[in-house]
Amino acid sequence: MDTPLEPQTAVSTLVSRYFRALDERAFETGWTAAFFTEDAAVRAPVGAVRGREAIAAQAEEALRRFDRTQHMSTDVLVTAAADGATADASWNALMTHLHPDGRIFTVGGRCRAALRRTADGWRFGDLSITPVWTDGEPPHLPPRA
């Protein structure tokens, strides 16, 4: 039987593993299955996408604009549903990006997620990243279609 801390610990670990994968650019085929449900949605400053393949393409394209990144999370708060099948989480994030020419672009933001417990563990069903502040020059993004 789950203890009250189990979803907290499991979801906090999922957040940390996801941020680590982004920074290590661990983009093997199907990498998003370790973090997202098949029908997951992500809303980030670079756009909104749905589905694991679209999430992978967006993350890979966005991060390849930089030489290196460092994503840190803190204050992960998790509220699990009474049946233990779903949860909501929120956390603060500090996301630092190093441009190829050495300039730094930093984002302080808030993240929110709706999660589902799957046979493979907790997965993001919906994830949003909302900047609270930025410092430095963001990457130049192509116009949205």
Side-chain angles (χ1 to χ4, degrees):
M1 181 170 186
D2 292 339
T3 65
L5 287 179
E6 188 279 332
Q8 176 71 40
T9 301
V11 171
S12 293
T13 300
L14 181 68
V15 169
S16 294
R17 285 180 43 241
Y18 175 60
F19 276 6
R20 172 82 49 89
L22 295 177
D23 293 336
E24 291 180 351
R25 301 179 186 211
F27 299 145
E28 297 85 22
T29 301
W31 69 271
T32 54
F35 305 103
F36 294 94
T37 62
E38 186 67 38
D39 62 344
V42 171
R43 286 175 310 288
V46 295
V49 293
R50 179 172 295 280
R52 287 181 184 154
E53 288 182 22
I55 292 166
Q58 180 189 63
E60 292 170 34
E61 194 276 332
L63 292 176
R64 287 198 170 110
R65 297 173 187 275
F66 301 101
D67 271 356
R68 292 183 299 270
T69 59
Q70 186 175 33
H71 292 73
M72 294 181 280
S73 61
T74 186
D75 304 326
V76 178
L77 300 174
V78 178
T79 303
D83 65 4
T86 61
D88 292 315
S90 64
W91 62 94
N92 291 308
L94 181 62
M95 300 160 278
T96 303
H97 312 77
L98 182 67
H99 286 281
D101 65 6
R103 291 175 296 122
I104 294 176
F105 173 57
T106 306
V107 179
R110 291 195 183 98
C111 300
R112 294 191 182 282
L115 299 103
R116 290 193 298 242
R117 186 191 302 267
T118 72
D120 296 318
W122 288 98
R123 296 295 185 264
F124 299 117
D126 185 86
L127 173 63
S128 65
I129 302 165
T130 305
V132 174
W133 59 268
T134 64
D135 186 37
E137 185 176 337
H140 298 287
L141 301 175
R144 291 189 185 166

